Amino acid sequence: MPSDSTATPPASGTFTTPPIDVRWGDMDALRHVNNAVYFSYFEEGRVHLFAAMGLGAASGRYGVLAHASCDFLRPLLYPARVVVGMKLLRVGRTSLELDCWVADAGDAATLYARGRNVLVCTDGATGRPVPWTDADRRALDRCFAA
């Protein structure tokens, strides 16, 4: 991943989704949540984050996933409710990096998975990277306020 020379220190807090119900169909043959579903949970977290920032169809700019990784820490079984938490690690000129996790909705210390996402701000019409605006950076500060 290219280094952004304009990287700014990230806000220090976390962003957390509302509770997400684990669906029966999220399970695999071993009766726990399938590994691919964790990426869907991270996606749900990004959707909530971008909505809170005002990014999307109305703005004509989108956050496009450039990297996703996940470490599976413990099995997640149905029925359950989880939350996705995120910490902003880095904000560059056109990209940002998030530490992400899936936790029990009733006990945030119980982690099922932890991952890393890198997103690039893109113009919806051209698909080309565009810089984060000052308004975007203020929105990130609000979303990740301690």
Side-chain angles (χ1 to χ4, degrees):
M1 172 182 62
S3 171
D4 267 332
S5 61
T6 58
T8 57
S12 60
T14 61
F15 181 86
T16 305
T17 66
I20 300 167
D21 289 318
V22 173
R23 302 168 306 172
W24 176 259
D26 291 346
M27 288 191 303
D28 61 16
L30 298 175
R31 299 183 47 94
H32 56 66
V33 170
N34 182 275
N35 57 0
V37 175
Y38 289 88
F39 291 95
S40 294
Y41 295 154
F42 291 150
E43 177 184 49
E44 187 73 15
R46 293 189 308 270
V47 167
H48 281 277
L49 173 62
F50 289 141
M53 288 178 62
L55 223 58
S59 73
R61 294 176 310 115
Y62 299 88
V64 174
L65 188 63
H67 172 85
S69 64
C70 184
D71 293 319
F72 306 99
L73 305 175
R74 67 169 30 121
L76 175 54
L77 306 172
Y78 176 91
R81 295 186 94 196
V82 297
V83 293
V84 175
M86 292 178 268
K87 182 165 181 56
L88 187 59
L89 298 177
R90 182 189 60 79
V91 181
R93 189 177 76 79
T94 62
S95 66
L96 62 81
E97 184 176 358
L98 299 167
D99 178 27
C100 310
W101 56 90
V102 176
D104 187 284
D107 176 13
T110 301
L111 298 183
Y112 298 104
R114 181 161 223 134
R116 187 172 138 285
N117 288 180
V118 175
L119 297 123
V120 176
C121 185
T122 60
D123 181 289
T126 67
R128 302 287 303 158
V130 293
W132 297 110
T133 65
D134 289 340
D136 294 334
R137 292 172 188 274
R138 287 191 301 275
L140 284 166
D141 284 343
R142 269 193 325 274
C143 290
F144 290 97

